[in-house]
Amino acid sequence: MPDGAPAHGAFPAAGRRSVSRYHAGRPASGSPLLEARSVSIEFGGIRALSDVSVRVEVGEAVGIVGPNGAGKTTLFNCLCGQYCPARGSVWFDGKPIDGLPSYRRARLGIARTFQRVEVFPEMTVLDHLLVAERARRGDGRLWKDLLNMSRVRRDELDRIEAVLGLVGLADMAATPVGALSLGHCRLVELGRALCLEPRLLMADEPSSGLDTGETAALADLFRRVQQEKGMAILLVEHDLDMVARVVDRAMVLDFGELVAEGRLDEVMADPLVRRAYLGRAG
Ligand SMILES: Nc1ncnc2c1ncn2[C@@H]1O[C@H](COP(=O)(O)OP(=O)(O)O)[C@@H](O)[C@H]1O
Ligand SMILES: [Mg+2]
């Protein structure tokens, strides 16, 4: 737990260079769900993130965009506990979570999907969700599951079937994940994250491998879980149409620095952002 970690709402504008800030229509409340302050990390002397601050309100959908190599996945890894930032602190639901391993952060209500799909080819779709469902309850039966000794209960099945219906995989419950397309594997990952009933769903490039129709359906799904379940969403995504459909507010990273934040159309019109994306000033 860091000394001198900030009180809520006390963060000054971060960064060595100025960040373009645009009002995003939704006023910041006094108690964010997730708050990261001045997170910095480097690899072999190269700064992957420099003083990046993030704030996600309860139930808010926030997009993180930026060119390849900007540090988006690294930021996710710092927020979820896969990486330990060299500097900065991360708070969730009013408490510092620095130093907590990923599984403890998941139990607090932070679930994520990965840019490179992380599934087990021989396990069925249902099994993937079952492991997540039992991890959410944390009832200590996981070791039995690994030994295949524990039967699926009716209430577990009901919850899993509801999530399978939500992500559109109801017909594939018994299919080994190795037989699925990349797009369907992404939906398995998303279903697994939803089984944890997170308060914050973090998705890293979820539309990769999906066609246009699947991407639109996915965007609708994110909106639904946000609106119906009150889930906050942090979305890293290169498909700007999808970002526009899902988020209330966007942040732009470039070379590990936050360069702009606000409404997506406003930040994308920012000359610094256009230069980062298009290689020229707009
Ligand atoms: N584990 C790591 N070891 C070394 N370099 C890394 C590691 N993780 C990320 N990086 C570097 O950090 C930078 C940002 O990468 P990344 O966060 O994956 O970017 P993005 O997701 O925006 O495309 C890149 O230069 C990448 O090579
Ligand atoms: Mg990435």
Side-chain angles (χ1 to χ4, degrees):
M1 226 174 270
D3 288 327
H8 287 129
F11 292 175
R16 284 172 284 111
R17 78 187 196 205
S18 70
V19 179
S20 306
R21 295 187 195 281
Y22 302 91
H23 292 290
R26 194 175 176 126
S29 77
S31 53
L33 182 64
L34 176 83
E35 191 161 31
R37 185 204 188 193
S38 297
V39 167
S40 299
I41 189 168
E42 45 188 68
F43 300 104
I46 297 172
R47 275 276 181 109
L49 291 174
S50 300
D51 294 320
V52 174
S53 294
V54 181
R55 186 180 167 116
V56 180
E57 306 295 332
V58 172
E60 187 186 24
V62 177
I64 301 177
V65 299
N68 277 340
K72 305 179 297 294
T73 297
T74 302
L75 177 60
F76 262 34
N77 287 336
C78 290
L79 298 175
C80 290
Q82 275 90 15
Y83 289 167
C84 180
R87 280 183 307 286
S89 61
V90 181
W91 288 56
F92 187 74
D93 203 17
K95 297 184 190 71
I97 57 171
D98 305 286
L100 281 192
S102 303
Y103 78 91
R104 297 265 312 269
R105 297 185 195 208
R107 286 212 182 132
L108 290 177
I110 304 176
R112 75 173 290 183
T113 66
F114 292 86
Q115 183 172 359
R116 285 179 56 186
V117 169
E118 303 213 352
V119 288
F120 301 94
E122 281 157 28
M123 282 172 64
T124 65
V125 172
L126 188 132
D127 286 343
H128 278 80
L129 271 58
L130 182 62
V131 171
E133 162 65 18
R134 290 181 176 173
R136 177 185 63 79
R137 284 206 321 269
D139 64 0
R141 300 201 311 160
L142 216 54
W143 66 274
K144 285 188 189 163
D145 298 335
L146 293 173
L147 295 174
N148 212 11
M149 287 166 61
S150 168
R151 279 168 188 268
V152 186
R153 294 199 320 248
R154 183 70 247 173
D155 63 309
E156 291 175 328
L157 207 52
D158 287 346
R159 285 173 175 281
I160 291 169
E161 281 173 354
V163 172
L164 286 174
L166 198 61
V167 298
L169 290 177
D171 296 342
M172 299 175 199
T175 308
V177 164
L180 299 181
S181 68
L182 175 61
H184 284 138
C185 287
R186 289 201 174 279
L187 294 175
V188 172
E189 272 206 324
L190 183 59
R192 185 168 60 184
L194 291 173
C195 277
L196 294 169
E197 296 187 351
R199 298 185 65 201
L200 174 65
L201 173 64
M202 298 175 54
D204 194 352
E205 309 266 9
S207 84
S208 299
L210 302 188
D211 65 27
T212 320
E214 289 169 328
T215 301
L218 188 65
D220 289 346
L221 175 61
F222 276 106
R223 266 297 180 201
R224 274 209 342 260
V225 296
Q226 188 208 12
Q227 284 164 4
E228 290 172 18
K229 300 184 188 294
M231 219 175 265
I233 291 168
L234 197 52
L235 175 68
V236 165
E237 181 53 59
H238 62 269
D239 183 328
L240 294 180
D241 287 339
M242 173 163 182
V243 180
R245 280 169 183 254
V246 173
V247 308
D248 304 311
R249 184 162 61 82
M251 301 172 37
V252 184
L253 282 181
D254 187 29
F255 288 116
E257 295 191 13
L258 182 63
V259 292
E261 66 176 307
R263 247 178 42 204
L264 184 68
D265 56 343
E266 289 176 325
V267 298
M268 291 312 292
D270 185 294
L272 262 182
V273 174
R274 293 177 66 80
R275 196 176 305 132
Y277 262 89
L278 308 171
R280 62 181 164 78

